[in-house]
Amino acid sequence: MQISELLAQETLRLILLTGEPVGEITGVVVTDLPRPGRYLSGGELVLTGMMWRHRPSDSEVFVDHLVRAGVTALAAGDARLGHVPDDLVAACRARGLALIEVPIEVSFGAIIDVVDRRMAGEQRLALGRHRRIFAAVAEGAGLPELFRMAHDELGLTGGVVSATGRVIAGEVPDASRLALEFLRAVRLPHVTADPRTIFTVDRSPRVAGWALVLDGDVNPEIGYELASCVALERTRMEEGRRVERRLLEQLVGLAGSADLPELSARMRTCGLDVAAPYAIVACTALRSGASDGPDAATLGGLVLEELLDRSVVAVAAADAGLALVPLRDSLEELTTVLTARAAAVAGPGVRLSLGVSAALTGPAAIRGGIEEAGYARRMADAREGGLVTSDEIYTHALLLATVPDDIRRGFASRLLDPLFGYDRRHQADLVRTLSTFLDCAGSWNVCAERLHVHVNTVRYRIKRVEELTGRNLTTMADRVDLYLALRAS
């Protein structure tokens, strides 16, 4: 309701003393507290009987609190003083706050009734328009039509973004930042500083979800209704992808088969060019503290589709989501894009682990590519998340990644705990010396130079390492054991 509409109510006989008759009234608050700012959220019409005024200087204090809170207007009653004092008029005029005089014979209750009736009518009208939008979407209107109607019917603008910052529909400037706010928000809806209001589209985990972003501080009831419309359209879009996922599941299930013609036919059915290069990507997504929702493999597949702009489908295999990705650019470009987007999505409470195979061609390479991507993904998981390519797995790191965590930790602990304990008790540096010595291929002089100590100091420390671990660092077998223990720790 506008101030001008309230002033136009002849039965109230309100008089505008200062300011302009413009501004939206979002509610009514009656107060006689001298410092009411903490109880105001902005946009209100404040009604006061001026019981707070004991001296002229009180007016400036009272009005300052209203202005800081962002109220739309102040209406002062004449009942106590018989008029609105000049000091209150001056304070409001100096601060640009609209001040309305309420005659003695007009009750605050009458003003509240007028405002409440008008606002209730406006809200019913807005909800009616919104339900017309919902009906249009239910009958098949797509997202572009949804946002056109939201603008025409409700005056709302905005769009939909994925957790990776991809704009799915509408217009969302600074989509990457808003996607990050969507992921990090303690609760939704979330109002940004702009302000814009962010709603979750459906019950999907945020890391694989969509966000509805609307300009302004939007009524939650209206926003949730629009979000449900977007969710309905997303469900329609998912229906078509289910067939594609089923075809990919069949292709993955046949991988390793000797029937290459059948595999080739399956690849073509999945929209893959048999002669073009592709890569296989494996992904898991873990949410700490989450006891419901999809498992790490299923969620990994959903996240992987969003990371790849839904240009492919992914399926949940035994322990990870899998996708066959045509290499329209280079493999390096694919890994760069995935690394950047995964870093944006992962955060507190979410761990993404991705493995990428080498560039592959033809149906015979699918099985090996799945194994490569799987080993790389497990290595990434051992590193607490991130992306690992096939180039990294053909080393000792592959062996460590395939060993169960408890066995790997036990192996490292048995060999290195005596050294860590000695370093803590004596403020020594045996562990770092051992690591540097092995990196220098057992060269005393090079190790001493790197550590900036005398060569005899290195000899003494290595002797202590041998005594504490029971290993002989002149033998290759013991050097390998200690090297692996350091990498596993």
Side-chain angles (χ1 to χ4, degrees):
M1 183 178 190
Q2 296 289 323
I3 296 176
S4 58
E5 295 175 280
L6 181 64
L7 295 172
Q9 301 294 315
E10 295 181 358
T11 58
L12 298 179
R13 301 189 300 283
L14 303 177
I15 303 169
L16 182 66
L17 299 179
T18 68
E20 299 295 329
V22 295
E24 183 76 18
I25 297 172
T26 61
V28 181
V29 174
V30 179
T31 183
D32 273 308
L33 293 173
R35 293 174 172 80
R38 72 180 67 180
Y39 304 106
L40 302 169
S41 57
E44 298 94 344
L45 168 66
V46 174
L47 304 177
T48 181
M50 292 187 291
M51 300 299 295
W52 46 266
R53 185 184 178 279
H54 301 289
R55 59 187 66 84
S57 59
D58 291 341
S59 292
E60 291 189 351
V61 175
F62 183 77
V63 173
D64 280 340
H65 276 267
L66 301 186
V67 171
R68 282 197 294 270
V71 304
T72 297
L74 169 64
D78 291 346
R80 178 168 179 255
L81 301 176
H83 67 285
V84 177
D86 292 342
D87 47 87
L88 181 58
V89 174
C92 289
R93 180 178 292 116
R95 291 157 181 78
L97 180 64
L99 174 61
I100 299 170
E101 182 178 8
V102 181
I104 295 175
E105 62 273 16
V106 176
S107 71
F108 286 170
I111 297 174
I112 293 171
D113 285 344
V114 168
V115 175
D116 284 350
R117 283 198 304 271
R118 180 57 185 271
M119 292 183 65
E122 289 177 348
Q123 188 174 43
R124 283 195 299 271
L125 183 61
L127 287 173
R129 289 195 298 262
H130 189 268
R131 290 191 172 101
R132 287 197 294 275
I133 296 174
F134 189 88
V137 173
E139 291 171 0
L143 293 181
E145 178 67 8
L146 167 65
F147 283 101
R148 186 194 65 74
M149 293 184 68
H151 177 268
D152 294 346
E153 294 275 359
L154 302 173
L156 295 175
T157 56
V160 181
V161 297
S162 71
T164 60
R166 177 173 63 93
V167 179
I168 297 161
E171 297 182 4
V172 187
D174 203 6
S176 296
R177 178 183 64 82
L178 291 165
L180 188 61
E181 290 209 37
F182 166 62
L183 289 168
R184 304 291 186 267
V186 175
R187 61 180 60 86
L188 294 170
H190 168 72
V191 181
T192 68
D194 304 5
R196 283 181 276 183
T197 309
I198 302 175
F199 298 86
T200 187
V201 164
D202 53 29
R203 297 178 64 85
S204 300
R206 288 193 207 177
V207 69
W210 289 1
L212 170 65
V213 180
L214 297 173
D215 296 332
D217 189 348
V218 178
N219 181 327
E221 187 171 358
I222 298 292
Y224 278 128
E225 290 264 359
L226 280 176
S228 67
C229 292
V230 177
L232 179 60
E233 182 61 19
R234 187 183 188 188
T235 300
R236 288 194 191 121
M237 296 166 67
E238 287 300 313
E239 287 295 329
R241 297 179 73 83
R242 285 176 185 164
V243 176
E244 298 177 58
R245 291 191 184 107
R246 193 176 306 116
L247 294 173
L248 182 58
E249 286 174 352
Q250 294 170 356
L251 176 61
V252 170
L254 288 171
S257 167
D259 190 350
L260 293 183
E262 174 66 14
L263 280 173
S264 297
R266 294 284 184 176
M267 286 186 69
R268 285 190 288 271
T269 303
C270 290
L272 297 167
D273 186 343
V274 177
Y278 62 92
I280 294 177
V281 184
C283 177
T284 54
L286 290 173
R287 295 178 297 153
S288 60
S291 57
D292 58 346
D295 58 28
T298 302
L299 183 56
L302 296 174
V303 172
L304 188 53
E305 291 185 359
E306 295 296 343
L307 293 178
L308 293 166
D309 289 342
R310 294 173 70 85
S311 60
V312 300
V313 296
V315 296
D319 60 353
L322 289 177
L324 274 70
V325 185
L327 292 177
R328 298 180 178 87
D329 298 307
S330 65
L331 182 64
E332 291 73 18
E333 178 68 19
L334 172 64
T335 57
T336 299
V337 169
L338 284 174
T339 299
R341 291 177 179 172
V345 170
V350 177
R351 185 174 81 193
L352 295 185
S353 301
L354 294 106
V356 182
S357 74
L360 310 168
T361 306
I366 294 176
R367 188 70 218 169
I370 292 174
E371 292 178 355
E372 275 189 0
Y375 284 132
R377 197 277 309 164
R378 284 190 284 275
M379 188 183 298
D381 203 41
R383 296 177 181 176
E384 303 299 321
L387 183 144
V388 172
T389 68
S390 62
D391 291 340
E392 298 184 63
I393 67 174
Y394 294 110
T395 68
H396 66 277
L398 173 60
L399 299 176
L400 291 175
T402 56
V403 174
D405 289 347
D406 55 345
I407 296 176
R408 186 171 63 249
R409 287 192 296 267
F411 171 72
S413 176
R414 183 173 181 181
L415 283 177
L416 300 180
D417 277 0
L419 304 184
F420 283 116
Y422 185 91
D423 283 349
R424 283 194 299 270
R425 292 192 303 272
H426 301 281
Q427 290 75 53
D429 212 4
L430 296 187
V431 174
R432 188 165 76 96
T433 300
L434 172 61
S435 179
T436 305
F437 179 74
L438 294 173
D439 286 342
C440 296
S443 171
W444 305 101
N445 291 325
V446 175
C447 181
E449 290 177 5
R450 288 193 187 178
L451 293 174
H452 306 290
V453 298
H454 194 275
V455 67
N456 288 341
T457 300
V458 175
R459 292 182 184 276
Y460 170 76
R461 290 178 181 175
I462 294 300
K463 182 179 178 182
R464 293 295 297 146
V465 167
E466 291 178 330
E467 292 172 352
L468 291 168
T469 61
R471 300 300 178 114
N472 182 357
L473 282 167
T474 63
T475 67
M476 180 59 71
D478 285 352
R479 286 189 183 185
V480 169
D481 283 348
L482 288 168
Y483 178 83
L484 293 176
L486 286 167
R487 295 301 178 270
S489 63

